[in-house]
Amino acid sequence: MLNLDLELLDRVLLSVRGLRCARVRLAEGGTLVLFLGTVSSDDASLTEWRLWIDCAWRYQCGVADAVASLDDGHAILAEIRSLEGALLRSCERDSLGRDLVLRFDKKMELKVFAHSTLDEAWEWRKADGYRVGLGPGLRLFEKVEARD
């Protein structure tokens, strides 16, 4: 992995710091989606940034584990919705840029574990189509797709 890739990821992680979690969604197949920042005036379902998480994750509030990616969907939604309205204080990556730790106010923390080399692990998305993520082979990617 090139240092440029990690620098790109660091810029994205810095740009999402200070945003509020507007909404949380658990998509079909278990994908967790965080909607961060201001809601779009064009489409109320979009925000400045969205984080799509397809890999394993664990959500903690305080010192106890609240829920994790393998828990029941109803239990996940009951707990993870506490992120709605929370301020993202920091977003950090491991030394290889694979695993992420998102720390919110009120001692809430979401840890993302990229464990598979077959599929996309996670992806940061902007409404304008810009994407940065960790894809197959645990490689960072940057791309632009059609606007959401």
Side-chain angles (χ1 to χ4, degrees):
M1 188 174 311
L2 300 173
N3 285 337
L4 179 61
D5 292 335
L6 292 177
E7 291 170 7
L8 171 68
L9 178 56
D10 288 341
R11 285 194 302 272
V12 170
L13 298 181
L14 186 62
S15 71
V16 297
R17 228 173 74 197
L19 298 178
R20 289 209 178 270
C21 182
R23 192 163 59 104
V24 177
R25 187 177 111 201
L26 189 61
E28 190 171 326
T31 299
L32 180 64
V33 185
L34 302 183
F35 295 78
L36 300 165
T38 307
V39 175
S40 170
S41 59
D42 297 334
D43 185 345
S45 68
L46 295 180
T47 53
E48 292 172 68
W49 284 97
R50 290 166 325 282
L51 174 59
W52 287 68
I53 304 169
D54 292 313
C55 59
W57 55 266
R58 182 175 61 236
Y59 170 69
Q60 294 175 271
C61 188
V63 294
D65 283 350
V67 289
S69 52
L70 295 179
D71 288 335
D72 172 75
H74 297 292
I76 289 172
L77 285 174
E79 293 295 329
I80 203 81
R81 284 208 168 116
S82 64
L83 283 172
E84 292 178 353
L87 182 70
L88 181 58
R89 298 252 180 232
S90 70
C91 188
E92 300 167 0
R93 61 164 174 86
D94 68 359
S95 63
L96 298 174
R98 295 177 181 168
D99 297 342
L100 303 174
V101 179
L102 287 77
R103 290 187 179 90
F104 294 84
D105 56 0
K106 303 174 192 169
K107 297 185 180 180
M108 294 182 281
E109 183 175 87
L110 181 66
K111 293 183 179 180
V112 179
F113 309 101
H115 61 283
S116 174
T117 60
L118 300 177
D119 301 310
E120 287 185 4
W122 47 262
E123 182 178 273
W124 290 97
R125 298 181 179 184
K126 287 189 83 171
D128 65 2
Y130 180 71
R131 313 256 195 269
V132 172
L134 187 69
L138 298 176
R139 296 188 188 276
L140 286 172
F141 65 84
E142 176 186 37
K143 63 184 175 181
V144 178
E145 294 187 355
R147 284 183 59 93
D148 288 337

